[in-house]
Amino acid sequence: MNRTSFIILPIIFGLMLTLSAYGFEAKEVCVQTNLHCGSCAQKIERGLKKKDGVMTAKSDVDTKVVTVKFDGSKTSEKEITKSIEKMGYTAKIMKTDKSSSGKDCCDTKATKSAPRGK
């Protein structure tokens, strides 16, 4: 290990301890929606990012899936789907499919074969 590693590793470890001490619970959820264009995707992403606890929201227009990373101690999957529905879109939580390859629900065939918009 080089000298930089001896400095960076304790900092990272300390941050991890600090986040867990404050109840930070990072989660990710994939939500199947009926978005059909880039404008819809931006609307959903912007709306979700305003929600307390949401760290990132990324939409895929082709698969109609919104991937949301959030703090589970501040919001929930149910609140995320309600927010999307309030914006005028459908929202259905996709089942997490953690396999031995480490892929999650957003990497499954289900999202790749999702119906496409016109």
Side-chain angles (χ1 to χ4, degrees), residues 56-102:
T56 63
K58 294 190 180 183
S59 304
D60 185 327
V61 177
D62 292 334
T63 60
K64 300 184 180 203
V65 173
V66 181
T67 304
V68 184
K69 291 183 183 178
F70 63 99
D71 179 350
S73 67
K74 293 184 178 180
T75 191
S76 67
E77 292 178 356
K78 187 174 183 177
E79 290 177 18
I80 289 168
T81 58
K82 281 184 183 180
S83 292
I84 294 171
E85 289 169 349
K86 282 182 182 178
M87 290 180 238
Y89 300 93
T90 60
K92 182 180 176 186
I93 300 291
M94 297 178 68
K95 292 183 182 178
T96 302
D97 183 22
K98 290 279 184 187
S99 63
S100 58
S101 66

Side-chain angles (χ1 to χ4, degrees), residues 1-117:
M1 281 212 248
N2 62 26
R3 197 172 181 174
T4 307
S5 297
F6 285 112
I7 295 170
I8 293 175
L9 288 176
I11 292 171
I12 292 171
F13 183 70
L15 284 172
M16 289 171 43
L17 287 176
T18 302
L19 291 175
S20 65
Y22 287 101
F24 181 78
E25 186 182 343
K27 292 186 172 188
E28 183 175 290
V29 66
C30 299
V31 184
Q32 187 74 51
T33 67
N34 63 337
L35 67 90
H36 61 277
C37 67
S39 186
C40 295
Q42 287 179 350
K43 180 180 177 182
I44 292 171
E45 289 172 5
R46 275 191 240 129
L48 288 175
K49 288 176 185 175
K50 290 178 184 176
K51 186 160 185 55
D52 188 35
V54 173
M55 296 176 280
T56 63
K58 294 190 180 183
S59 304
D60 185 327
V61 177
D62 292 334
T63 60
K64 300 184 180 203
V65 173
V66 181
T67 304
V68 184
K69 291 183 183 178
F70 63 99
D71 179 350
S73 67
K74 293 184 178 180
T75 191
S76 67
E77 292 178 356
K78 187 174 183 177
E79 290 177 18
I80 289 168
T81 58
K82 281 184 183 180
S83 292
I84 294 171
E85 289 169 349
K86 282 182 182 178
M87 290 180 238
Y89 300 93
T90 60
K92 182 180 176 186
I93 300 291
M94 297 178 68
K95 292 183 182 178
T96 302
D97 183 22
K98 290 279 184 187
S99 63
S100 58
S101 66
K103 293 182 178 181
D104 65 17
C105 60
C106 301
D107 296 324
T108 63
K109 286 183 181 178
T111 53
K112 292 182 175 68
S113 64
R116 307 217 186 253

